[in-house]
Amino acid sequence: MIDPFGRKVSYLRVSVTDRCDLRCVYCMAEDMHFLPKADILSLEELERLCGAFVRQGVRKLRLTGGEPLVRRNIMSLITNLGRLVKSGDLDELTLTTNATQLAKYAEGLAAAGVRRLNVSLDSLDAAKFEAITRWGKLDQVLEGIMAAKAAGLAVKINTVALKGGNEDEHEHLVEWCGSHGFDLTFIETMPMGDIHSDRTEQYLPLSLVRSRLEQRFSLSDIDYRTGGPARYVRVAETGGRIGFITPMTHNFCETCNRVRVTCTGTLYMCLGQEDAADLRTPLRASEGDQLLEAAIAEAIARKPKGHDFIIDRDAHPAVGRHMSVTGG
């Protein structure tokens, strides 16, 4: 699949649910209203949809949410998709998770063919973690992360840089990740969805984060890539890697190889644009996939050049949907 700007689309992120067992302050409102179950694709429909994308050239598949591991019977979908990795039809199957359920699922994920996880973790302080997630328990998350490590899964920690929220912990996070062999990626907060607060009070540019880290660590740019938008550096003191995802201060769209499908079967060609394609209707209109594959091709032909994110005190969210709806 080639978009109008010559970029090969080979990476699909699929949200399997909009529900989550946390309410992170930069992601959700506290009183979220979730989609009715009738609107959500079944696990069998999600598998069929993923298969259609794989046949059209997707080589990397990431399952997201909400929190994917709260979806009932999710391991059946993961096991079936893992067979595409084992057959060579898919290069990689990964998950983004908050790790609350990882202690239960880590061994099963490894057995299914998952080799790598992204774990959202914004603080190593229990009280601060609970404040950021609104009710999360840090011990439960750390137990899940260590279960993933014990199962042989490579773990990358994703940390949203929050002004006044966790900026005093960034050095500690670098050291902690280095000690456990985890990569660490810092992410700028993005203007998606109404969170009932002012995002300018959260926003911390990663240029500032990096300059502060360089006062303590020796960072050198490297060419390492995972298929996503992060740009990586090596930390001489720990031997680990730090990634920086900068949708606000440095638009990374020129190399975008990704599209996202929501749990309702809506395809978003760009995280930061509202244009979308309905895949649920063609998916359910026929037992064959001809209509579905035609809808995918038509949508890829509309993939935009980039997003228009801006954080301003007087600005509305760049897009109205929450990140939990689109998938991380």
PDB file of all heavy atoms in Angstrom, residues 193-223:
ATOM      1  N   GLY A 193      -9.067  15.033  22.262  1.00  0.00           N
ATOM      2  CA  GLY A 193     -10.178  14.804  23.169  1.00  0.00           C
ATOM      3  C   GLY A 193     -10.248  15.807  24.307  1.00  0.00           C
ATOM      4  O   GLY A 193      -9.254  16.409  24.702  1.00  0.00           O
ATOM      5  N   ASP A 194     -11.436  15.987  24.835  1.00  0.00           N
ATOM      6  CA  ASP A 194     -11.663  16.893  25.947  1.00  0.00           C
ATOM      7  C   ASP A 194     -11.353  16.164  27.246  1.00  0.00           C
ATOM      8  O   ASP A 194     -12.000  15.172  27.585  1.00  0.00           O
ATOM      9  CB  ASP A 194     -13.118  17.369  25.945  1.00  0.00           C
ATOM     10  CG  ASP A 194     -13.404  18.402  27.027  1.00  0.00           C
ATOM     11  OD1 ASP A 194     -12.452  18.762  27.754  1.00  0.00           O
ATOM     12  OD2 ASP A 194     -14.561  18.825  27.142  1.00  0.00           O
ATOM     13  N   ILE A 195     -10.353  16.661  27.966  1.00  0.00           N
ATOM     14  CA  ILE A 195      -9.966  16.033  29.231  1.00  0.00           C
ATOM     15  C   ILE A 195     -10.395  16.879  30.425  1.00  0.00           C
ATOM     16  O   ILE A 195      -9.985  16.637  31.553  1.00  0.00           O
ATOM     17  CB  ILE A 195      -8.444  15.783  29.283  1.00  0.00           C
ATOM     18  CG1 ILE A 195      -7.676  17.099  29.089  1.00  0.00           C
ATOM     19  CG2 ILE A 195      -8.042  14.757  28.235  1.00  0.00           C
ATOM     20  CD1 ILE A 195      -6.186  16.972  29.343  1.00  0.00           C
ATOM     21  N   HIS A 196     -11.221  17.913  30.167  1.00  0.00           N
ATOM     22  CA  HIS A 196     -11.758  18.772  31.223  1.00  0.00           C
ATOM     23  C   HIS A 196     -10.657  19.505  31.981  1.00  0.00           C
ATOM     24  O   HIS A 196     -10.795  19.761  33.183  1.00  0.00           O
ATOM     25  CB  HIS A 196     -12.629  17.979  32.200  1.00  0.00           C
ATOM     26  CG  HIS A 196     -13.799  17.309  31.541  1.00  0.00           C
ATOM     27  ND1 HIS A 196     -14.557  16.359  32.174  1.00  0.00           N
ATOM     28  CD2 HIS A 196     -14.348  17.445  30.298  1.00  0.00           C
ATOM     29  CE1 HIS A 196     -15.521  15.940  31.357  1.00  0.00           C
ATOM     30  NE2 HIS A 196     -15.397  16.595  30.214  1.00  0.00           N
ATOM     31  N   SER A 197      -9.556  19.826  31.304  1.00  0.00           N
ATOM     32  CA  SER A 197      -8.494  20.625  31.906  1.00  0.00           C
ATOM     33  C   SER A 197      -7.705  21.286  30.791  1.00  0.00           C
ATOM     34  O   SER A 197      -7.901  20.995  29.613  1.00  0.00           O
ATOM     35  CB  SER A 197      -7.581  19.769  32.786  1.00  0.00           C
ATOM     36  OG  SER A 197      -6.914  18.776  32.026  1.00  0.00           O
ATOM     37  N   ASP A 198      -6.807  22.178  31.165  1.00  0.00           N
ATOM     38  CA  ASP A 198      -6.027  22.967  30.214  1.00  0.00           C
ATOM     39  C   ASP A 198      -4.726  22.244  29.881  1.00  0.00           C
ATOM     40  O   ASP A 198      -3.861  22.064  30.741  1.00  0.00           O
ATOM     41  CB  ASP A 198      -5.735  24.338  30.831  1.00  0.00           C
ATOM     42  CG  ASP A 198      -5.020  25.274  29.875  1.00  0.00           C
ATOM     43  OD1 ASP A 198      -4.646  24.823  28.776  1.00  0.00           O
ATOM     44  OD2 ASP A 198      -4.850  26.447  30.234  1.00  0.00           O
ATOM     45  N   ARG A 199      -4.592  21.799  28.618  1.00  0.00           N
ATOM     46  CA  ARG A 199      -3.395  21.040  28.254  1.00  0.00           C
ATOM     47  C   ARG A 199      -2.127  21.896  28.281  1.00  0.00           C
ATOM     48  O   ARG A 199      -1.024  21.354  28.344  1.00  0.00           O
ATOM     49  CB  ARG A 199      -3.567  20.415  26.862  1.00  0.00           C
ATOM     50  CG  ARG A 199      -4.301  19.083  26.897  1.00  0.00           C
ATOM     51  CD  ARG A 199      -4.076  18.327  25.597  1.00  0.00           C
ATOM     52  NE  ARG A 199      -4.590  16.972  25.678  1.00  0.00           N
ATOM     53  CZ  ARG A 199      -5.844  16.623  25.417  1.00  0.00           C
ATOM     54  NH1 ARG A 199      -6.711  17.544  25.071  1.00  0.00           N
ATOM     55  NH2 ARG A 199      -6.233  15.375  25.505  1.00  0.00           N
ATOM     56  N   THR A 200      -2.233  23.217  28.176  1.00  0.00           N
ATOM     57  CA  THR A 200      -1.026  24.035  28.253  1.00  0.00           C
ATOM     58  C   THR A 200      -0.359  23.886  29.614  1.00  0.00           C
ATOM     59  O   THR A 200       0.843  24.136  29.753  1.00  0.00           O
ATOM     60  CB  THR A 200      -1.338  25.524  27.988  1.00  0.00           C
ATOM     61  OG1 THR A 200      -2.255  25.992  28.995  1.00  0.00           O
ATOM     62  CG2 THR A 200      -1.945  25.716  26.624  1.00  0.00           C
ATOM     63  N   GLU A 201      -1.129  23.481  30.619  1.00  0.00           N
ATOM     64  CA  GLU A 201      -0.552  23.266  31.941  1.00  0.00           C
ATOM     65  C   GLU A 201       0.183  21.932  32.032  1.00  0.00           C
ATOM     66  O   GLU A 201       0.923  21.693  32.987  1.00  0.00           O
ATOM     67  CB  GLU A 201      -1.659  23.330  33.002  1.00  0.00           C
ATOM     68  CG  GLU A 201      -2.324  24.704  33.089  1.00  0.00           C
ATOM     69  CD  GLU A 201      -3.464  24.739  34.087  1.00  0.00           C
ATOM     70  OE1 GLU A 201      -3.757  23.673  34.673  1.00  0.00           O
ATOM     71  OE2 GLU A 201      -4.048  25.814  34.270  1.00  0.00           O
ATOM     72  N   GLN A 202      -0.037  21.031  31.052  1.00  0.00           N
ATOM     73  CA  GLN A 202       0.630  19.728  31.025  1.00  0.00           C
ATOM     74  C   GLN A 202       1.834  19.703  30.091  1.00  0.00           C
ATOM     75  O   GLN A 202       2.775  18.944  30.301  1.00  0.00           O
ATOM     76  CB  GLN A 202      -0.335  18.638  30.544  1.00  0.00           C
ATOM     77  CG  GLN A 202      -1.554  18.404  31.398  1.00  0.00           C
ATOM     78  CD  GLN A 202      -2.447  17.327  30.793  1.00  0.00           C
ATOM     79  OE1 GLN A 202      -2.332  16.977  29.607  1.00  0.00           O
ATOM     80  NE2 GLN A 202      -3.341  16.780  31.605  1.00  0.00           N
ATOM     81  N   TYR A 203       1.806  20.535  29.054  1.00  0.00           N
ATOM     82  CA  TYR A 203       2.729  20.384  27.931  1.00  0.00           C
ATOM     83  C   TYR A 203       4.168  20.715  28.314  1.00  0.00           C
ATOM     84  O   TYR A 203       4.466  21.773  28.868  1.00  0.00           O
ATOM     85  CB  TYR A 203       2.278  21.282  26.778  1.00  0.00           C
ATOM     86  CG  TYR A 203       3.257  21.328  25.625  1.00  0.00           C
ATOM     87  CD1 TYR A 203       3.604  20.167  24.950  1.00  0.00           C
ATOM     88  CD2 TYR A 203       3.834  22.526  25.225  1.00  0.00           C
ATOM     89  CE1 TYR A 203       4.497  20.202  23.912  1.00  0.00           C
ATOM     90  CE2 TYR A 203       4.728  22.568  24.176  1.00  0.00           C
ATOM     91  CZ  TYR A 203       5.064  21.399  23.523  1.00  0.00           C
ATOM     92  OH  TYR A 203       5.957  21.438  22.490  1.00  0.00           O
ATOM     93  N   LEU A 204       5.067  19.787  28.005  1.00  0.00           N
ATOM     94  CA  LEU A 204       6.493  19.951  28.248  1.00  0.00           C
ATOM     95  C   LEU A 204       7.246  19.543  26.982  1.00  0.00           C
ATOM     96  O   LEU A 204       7.211  18.383  26.585  1.00  0.00           O
ATOM     97  CB  LEU A 204       6.932  19.063  29.420  1.00  0.00           C
ATOM     98  CG  LEU A 204       8.384  19.180  29.883  1.00  0.00           C
ATOM     99  CD1 LEU A 204       8.654  20.570  30.473  1.00  0.00           C
ATOM    100  CD2 LEU A 204       8.686  18.097  30.918  1.00  0.00           C
ATOM    101  N   PRO A 205       7.910  20.479  26.290  1.00  0.00           N
ATOM    102  CA  PRO A 205       8.615  20.124  25.052  1.00  0.00           C
ATOM    103  C   PRO A 205       9.787  19.191  25.330  1.00  0.00           C
ATOM    104  O   PRO A 205      10.530  19.381  26.310  1.00  0.00           O
ATOM    105  CB  PRO A 205       9.089  21.479  24.517  1.00  0.00           C
ATOM    106  CG  PRO A 205       9.125  22.375  25.705  1.00  0.00           C
ATOM    107  CD  PRO A 205       8.031  21.905  26.613  1.00  0.00           C
ATOM    108  N   LEU A 206       9.963  18.202  24.481  1.00  0.00           N
ATOM    109  CA  LEU A 206      11.024  17.226  24.699  1.00  0.00           C
ATOM    110  C   LEU A 206      12.409  17.805  24.426  1.00  0.00           C
ATOM    111  O   LEU A 206      13.412  17.234  24.864  1.00  0.00           O
ATOM    112  CB  LEU A 206      10.785  15.983  23.849  1.00  0.00           C
ATOM    113  CG  LEU A 206       9.570  15.142  24.245  1.00  0.00           C
ATOM    114  CD1 LEU A 206       9.594  13.804  23.525  1.00  0.00           C
ATOM    115  CD2 LEU A 206       9.482  14.927  25.752  1.00  0.00           C
ATOM    116  N   SER A 207      12.483  18.917  23.715  1.00  0.00           N
ATOM    117  CA  SER A 207      13.780  19.586  23.575  1.00  0.00           C
ATOM    118  C   SER A 207      14.302  19.994  24.945  1.00  0.00           C
ATOM    119  O   SER A 207      15.508  19.883  25.228  1.00  0.00           O
ATOM    120  CB  SER A 207      13.637  20.811  22.669  1.00  0.00           C
ATOM    121  OG  SER A 207      12.636  21.693  23.167  1.00  0.00           O
ATOM    122  N   LEU A 208      13.404  20.426  25.821  1.00  0.00           N
ATOM    123  CA  LEU A 208      13.791  20.784  27.180  1.00  0.00           C
ATOM    124  C   LEU A 208      14.131  19.546  27.994  1.00  0.00           C
ATOM    125  O   LEU A 208      15.104  19.539  28.778  1.00  0.00           O
ATOM    126  CB  LEU A 208      12.658  21.577  27.843  1.00  0.00           C
ATOM    127  CG  LEU A 208      12.882  22.026  29.288  1.00  0.00           C
ATOM    128  CD1 LEU A 208      14.136  22.897  29.387  1.00  0.00           C
ATOM    129  CD2 LEU A 208      11.653  22.783  29.805  1.00  0.00           C
ATOM    130  N   VAL A 209      13.340  18.477  27.825  1.00  0.00           N
ATOM    131  CA  VAL A 209      13.623  17.222  28.522  1.00  0.00           C
ATOM    132  C   VAL A 209      15.013  16.723  28.158  1.00  0.00           C
ATOM    133  O   VAL A 209      15.812  16.355  29.032  1.00  0.00           O
ATOM    134  CB  VAL A 209      12.565  16.162  28.184  1.00  0.00           C
ATOM    135  CG1 VAL A 209      12.955  14.797  28.771  1.00  0.00           C
ATOM    136  CG2 VAL A 209      11.197  16.587  28.711  1.00  0.00           C
ATOM    137  N   ARG A 210      15.334  16.731  26.868  1.00  0.00           N
ATOM    138  CA  ARG A 210      16.650  16.233  26.448  1.00  0.00           C
ATOM    139  C   ARG A 210      17.772  17.104  27.003  1.00  0.00           C
ATOM    140  O   ARG A 210      18.795  16.576  27.480  1.00  0.00           O
ATOM    141  CB  ARG A 210      16.737  16.168  24.922  1.00  0.00           C
ATOM    142  CG  ARG A 210      18.119  15.737  24.442  1.00  0.00           C
ATOM    143  CD  ARG A 210      18.175  15.364  22.999  1.00  0.00           C
ATOM    144  NE  ARG A 210      19.546  15.025  22.619  1.00  0.00           N
ATOM    145  CZ  ARG A 210      19.888  14.436  21.486  1.00  0.00           C
ATOM    146  NH1 ARG A 210      18.954  14.115  20.595  1.00  0.00           N
ATOM    147  NH2 ARG A 210      21.150  14.155  21.226  1.00  0.00           N
ATOM    148  N   SER A 211      17.600  18.409  26.941  1.00  0.00           N
ATOM    149  CA  SER A 211      18.674  19.288  27.430  1.00  0.00           C
ATOM    150  C   SER A 211      18.920  19.079  28.917  1.00  0.00           C
ATOM    151  O   SER A 211      20.071  19.121  29.379  1.00  0.00           O
ATOM    152  CB  SER A 211      18.335  20.749  27.140  1.00  0.00           C
ATOM    153  OG  SER A 211      17.228  21.189  27.912  1.00  0.00           O
ATOM    154  N   ARG A 212      17.876  18.818  29.680  1.00  0.00           N
ATOM    155  CA  ARG A 212      18.043  18.542  31.100  1.00  0.00           C
ATOM    156  C   ARG A 212      18.743  17.211  31.328  1.00  0.00           C
ATOM    157  O   ARG A 212      19.619  17.094  32.198  1.00  0.00           O
ATOM    158  CB  ARG A 212      16.683  18.545  31.793  1.00  0.00           C
ATOM    159  CG  ARG A 212      16.042  19.925  31.921  1.00  0.00           C
ATOM    160  CD  ARG A 212      14.636  19.811  32.485  1.00  0.00           C
ATOM    161  NE  ARG A 212      14.023  21.124  32.706  1.00  0.00           N
ATOM    162  CZ  ARG A 212      12.761  21.301  33.071  1.00  0.00           C
ATOM    163  NH1 ARG A 212      11.966  20.248  33.262  1.00  0.00           N
ATOM    164  NH2 ARG A 212      12.279  22.522  33.260  1.00  0.00           N
ATOM    165  N   LEU A 213      18.367  16.187  30.552  1.00  0.00           N
ATOM    166  CA  LEU A 213      19.015  14.881  30.694  1.00  0.00           C
ATOM    167  C   LEU A 213      20.487  14.952  30.340  1.00  0.00           C
ATOM    168  O   LEU A 213      21.325  14.254  30.933  1.00  0.00           O
ATOM    169  CB  LEU A 213      18.314  13.844  29.810  1.00  0.00           C
ATOM    170  CG  LEU A 213      16.905  13.426  30.232  1.00  0.00           C
ATOM    171  CD1 LEU A 213      16.308  12.474  29.203  1.00  0.00           C
ATOM    172  CD2 LEU A 213      16.900  12.785  31.613  1.00  0.00           C
ATOM    173  N   GLU A 214      20.829  15.804  29.390  1.00  0.00           N
ATOM    174  CA  GLU A 214      22.232  15.913  28.967  1.00  0.00           C
ATOM    175  C   GLU A 214      23.110  16.555  30.030  1.00  0.00           C
ATOM    176  O   GLU A 214      24.342  16.488  29.940  1.00  0.00           O
ATOM    177  CB  GLU A 214      22.316  16.700  27.654  1.00  0.00           C
ATOM    178  CG  GLU A 214      21.825  15.892  26.469  1.00  0.00           C
ATOM    179  CD  GLU A 214      21.828  16.655  25.162  1.00  0.00           C
ATOM    180  OE1 GLU A 214      21.567  17.875  25.169  1.00  0.00           O
ATOM    181  OE2 GLU A 214      22.089  16.012  24.105  1.00  0.00           O
ATOM    182  N   GLN A 215      22.521  17.151  31.040  1.00  0.00           N
ATOM    183  CA  GLN A 215      23.298  17.664  32.159  1.00  0.00           C
ATOM    184  C   GLN A 215      23.764  16.536  33.082  1.00  0.00           C
ATOM    185  O   GLN A 215      24.693  16.718  33.871  1.00  0.00           O
ATOM    186  CB  GLN A 215      22.468  18.673  32.949  1.00  0.00           C
ATOM    187  CG  GLN A 215      22.108  19.925  32.161  1.00  0.00           C
ATOM    188  CD  GLN A 215      21.172  20.852  32.920  1.00  0.00           C
ATOM    189  OE1 GLN A 215      21.088  20.801  34.154  1.00  0.00           O
ATOM    190  NE2 GLN A 215      20.450  21.691  32.203  1.00  0.00           N
ATOM    191  N   ARG A 216      23.096  15.372  32.961  1.00  0.00           N
ATOM    192  CA  ARG A 216      23.425  14.223  33.811  1.00  0.00           C
ATOM    193  C   ARG A 216      23.995  13.046  33.023  1.00  0.00           C
ATOM    194  O   ARG A 216      24.841  12.309  33.506  1.00  0.00           O
ATOM    195  CB  ARG A 216      22.146  13.794  34.549  1.00  0.00           C
ATOM    196  CG  ARG A 216      22.177  12.420  35.208  1.00  0.00           C
ATOM    197  CD  ARG A 216      23.122  12.377  36.391  1.00  0.00           C
ATOM    198  NE  ARG A 216      23.043  11.089  37.057  1.00  0.00           N
ATOM    199  CZ  ARG A 216      23.673   9.990  36.628  1.00  0.00           C
ATOM    200  NH1 ARG A 216      24.456  10.046  35.550  1.00  0.00           N
ATOM    201  NH2 ARG A 216      23.567   8.859  37.294  1.00  0.00           N
ATOM    202  N   PHE A 217      23.542  12.888  31.767  1.00  0.00           N
ATOM    203  CA  PHE A 217      23.937  11.736  30.975  1.00  0.00           C
ATOM    204  C   PHE A 217      24.613  12.169  29.671  1.00  0.00           C
ATOM    205  O   PHE A 217      24.378  13.277  29.174  1.00  0.00           O
ATOM    206  CB  PHE A 217      22.709  10.875  30.621  1.00  0.00           C
ATOM    207  CG  PHE A 217      21.942  10.377  31.805  1.00  0.00           C
ATOM    208  CD1 PHE A 217      20.729  10.960  32.167  1.00  0.00           C
ATOM    209  CD2 PHE A 217      22.422   9.316  32.562  1.00  0.00           C
ATOM    210  CE1 PHE A 217      20.009  10.503  33.244  1.00  0.00           C
ATOM    211  CE2 PHE A 217      21.700   8.848  33.653  1.00  0.00           C
ATOM    212  CZ  PHE A 217      20.495   9.446  34.003  1.00  0.00           C
ATOM    213  N   SER A 218      25.406  11.270  29.123  1.00  0.00           N
ATOM    214  CA  SER A 218      26.009  11.480  27.803  1.00  0.00           C
ATOM    215  C   SER A 218      25.129  10.798  26.763  1.00  0.00           C
ATOM    216  O   SER A 218      25.030   9.564  26.740  1.00  0.00           O
ATOM    217  CB  SER A 218      27.424  10.890  27.758  1.00  0.00           C
ATOM    218  OG  SER A 218      28.243  11.480  28.748  1.00  0.00           O
ATOM    219  N   LEU A 219      24.448  11.593  25.928  1.00  0.00           N
ATOM    220  CA  LEU A 219      23.514  11.085  24.938  1.00  0.00           C
ATOM    221  C   LEU A 219      24.086  11.250  23.549  1.00  0.00           C
ATOM    222  O   LEU A 219      24.591  12.320  23.198  1.00  0.00           O
ATOM    223  CB  LEU A 219      22.174  11.834  25.031  1.00  0.00           C
ATOM    224  CG  LEU A 219      21.513  11.930  26.407  1.00  0.00           C
ATOM    225  CD1 LEU A 219      20.186  12.674  26.300  1.00  0.00           C
ATOM    226  CD2 LEU A 219      21.312  10.551  27.026  1.00  0.00           C
ATOM    227  N   SER A 220      23.994  10.195  22.744  1.00  0.00           N
ATOM    228  CA  SER A 220      24.477  10.271  21.356  1.00  0.00           C
ATOM    229  C   SER A 220      23.397   9.745  20.422  1.00  0.00           C
ATOM    230  O   SER A 220      22.796   8.696  20.675  1.00  0.00           O
ATOM    231  CB  SER A 220      25.767   9.470  21.176  1.00  0.00           C
ATOM    232  OG  SER A 220      25.599   8.123  21.594  1.00  0.00           O
ATOM    233  N   ASP A 221      23.144  10.469  19.336  1.00  0.00           N
ATOM    234  CA  ASP A 221      22.126  10.063  18.371  1.00  0.00           C
ATOM    235  C   ASP A 221      22.515   8.757  17.702  1.00  0.00           C
ATOM    236  O   ASP A 221      23.689   8.547  17.346  1.00  0.00           O
ATOM    237  CB  ASP A 221      21.938  11.148  17.309  1.00  0.00           C
ATOM    238  CG  ASP A 221      21.352  12.430  17.885  1.00  0.00           C
ATOM    239  OD1 ASP A 221      20.343  12.340  18.595  1.00  0.00           O
ATOM    240  OD2 ASP A 221      21.913  13.511  17.640  1.00  0.00           O
ATOM    241  N   ILE A 222      21.535   7.876  17.506  1.00  0.00           N
ATOM    242  CA  ILE A 222      21.766   6.602  16.821  1.00  0.00           C
ATOM    243  C   ILE A 222      20.685   6.408  15.769  1.00  0.00           C
ATOM    244  O   ILE A 222      19.656   7.073  15.785  1.00  0.00           O
ATOM    245  CB  ILE A 222      21.783   5.410  17.803  1.00  0.00           C
ATOM    246  CG1 ILE A 222      20.473   5.345  18.614  1.00  0.00           C
ATOM    247  CG2 ILE A 222      22.985   5.500  18.731  1.00  0.00           C
ATOM    248  CD1 ILE A 222      20.390   4.141  19.556  1.00  0.00           C
ATOM    249  N   ASP A 223      20.912   5.476  14.857  1.00  0.00           N
ATOM    250  CA  ASP A 223      19.982   5.235  13.746  1.00  0.00           C
ATOM    251  C   ASP A 223      18.919   4.194  14.077  1.00  0.00           C
ATOM    252  O   ASP A 223      18.138   3.824  13.200  1.00  0.00           O
ATOM    253  CB  ASP A 223      20.746   4.771  12.497  1.00  0.00           C
ATOM    254  CG  ASP A 223      21.585   5.887  11.906  1.00  0.00           C
ATOM    255  OD1 ASP A 223      21.213   7.060  12.077  1.00  0.00           O
ATOM    256  OD2 ASP A 223      22.625   5.578  11.294  1.00  0.00           O
TER     257      ASP A 223
END
